Amino acid sequence: MRTRYFLALCTALVPVMATLPLPMAAYAQEAPAAKAAVAMITVNGEGVVQAAPDMATLSVGVTTQSPTATEALAANTAAMDGVLARLKAAGAADSDLQTSNLSVNPNFTGYDSGAAPTISSYVAVNQLNVRIKALDTLGVVLDAAVSDGANTLNGLTFGLVDPKPTMDAARKAAVADAVAKATLLVEASGGKLGRVVSITEGGGYAAPQPMFRQLADSAAVPVAQGEVGVTAMVTMAFEITD
């Protein structure tokens, strides 16, 4: 009877034991080896490409003063009409002319005497940006602007009509500079330069470098158009291999 009872008990325990979790040692697997850190180097590269400008932007203006705001603006309008007419006769297109500022402000006096300031007159200002694509006419355009009413010259800048080709050349030069610098440093330390990990770009126009070339018309205002320097900057990261 006891033997029969023992066999029945063992038979009942077998399914239960089969469902019990195995010891932790049964699940233990070999942990993967930690990945070795990759040595890296980060450098900055710069590329500068000089190009002769093919356009200029001239900022001229007309300033008039009259007892009333209406008179000041009317006188200013008449003078600016003359400036625009001369500029167009010199070859400036309508699309190359843009008003950048127009204002009429009171002119106060009486500060020095200690009395309350009063309005003695009104000053009207009209500023105009002129884009000039034919640089050999720049001196003529300057003469035309001041011959018929423009009495302020606010600035002259040079640029490129299409800066992209020059900018792309500067980008290539910046990358080449970064690669050369990284190669020098890594090889000097006994390693070899690996693949590129990242590239970050920055940059833009640099200040024009004077070239002092007088424009063709000797009777016109002499202007040195210089060169436009386009600068590209990159930051590059590389792997270092053995």
Side-chain angles (χ1 to χ4, degrees):
M1 183 67 181
R2 290 181 179 178
T3 302
R4 188 177 302 173
Y5 175 78
F6 178 75
L7 291 175
L9 179 61
C10 290
T11 304
L13 288 175
V14 168
V16 176
M17 293 178 65
T19 61
L20 291 176
L22 295 174
M24 292 300 295
Y27 286 102
Q29 296 181 358
E30 185 177 352
K35 188 176 180 180
V38 178
M40 293 178 55
I41 183 173
T42 302
V43 296
N44 296 322
E46 181 181 37
V48 181
V49 176
Q50 300 289 342
D54 55 8
M55 67 166 289
T57 301
L58 173 67
S59 178
V60 296
V62 174
T63 301
T64 54
Q65 184 172 339
S66 296
T68 66
T70 302
E71 293 174 336
L73 185 59
N76 192 283
T77 300
M80 182 55 76
D81 285 342
V83 172
L84 289 171
R86 284 295 297 269
L87 289 172
K88 292 178 181 179
D94 289 338
S95 59
D96 295 328
L97 303 172
Q98 185 178 52
T99 299
S100 61
N101 180 44
L102 178 61
S103 63
V104 179
N105 295 301
N107 183 30
F108 289 94
T109 59
Y111 294 99
D112 296 338
S113 63
T118 59
I119 298 175
S120 61
S121 61
Y122 287 84
V123 178
V125 176
N126 192 343
Q127 296 179 352
L128 179 70
N129 287 337
V130 185
R131 186 170 53 190
I132 304 161
K133 296 178 181 177
L135 291 182
D136 57 346
T137 66
L138 180 54
V140 175
V141 172
L142 278 167
D143 285 343
V146 299
S147 295
D148 280 307
N151 51 19
T152 57
L153 176 60
N154 302 310
L156 175 65
T157 59
F158 293 95
L160 301 171
V161 174
D162 182 13
K164 187 177 183 302
T166 307
M167 192 68 224
D168 287 346
R171 290 186 178 106
K172 291 179 180 179
V175 171
D177 181 53
V179 172
K181 188 181 298 182
T183 301
L184 175 67
L185 294 173
V186 171
E187 291 183 353
S189 64
K192 292 183 180 180
L193 194 66
R195 69 183 184 91
V196 177
V197 177
S198 65
I199 303 177
T200 305
E201 182 195 16
Y205 281 108
Q209 302 299 317
M211 199 165 58
F212 299 109
R213 184 174 68 189
Q214 185 169 322
L215 300 179
D217 190 347
S218 60
V221 177
V223 178
Q225 61 188 54
E227 289 186 334
V228 177
V230 179
T231 302
M233 302 285 294
V234 295
T235 300
M236 300 183 65
F238 303 84
E239 287 184 352
I240 301 175
T241 61
D242 294 334

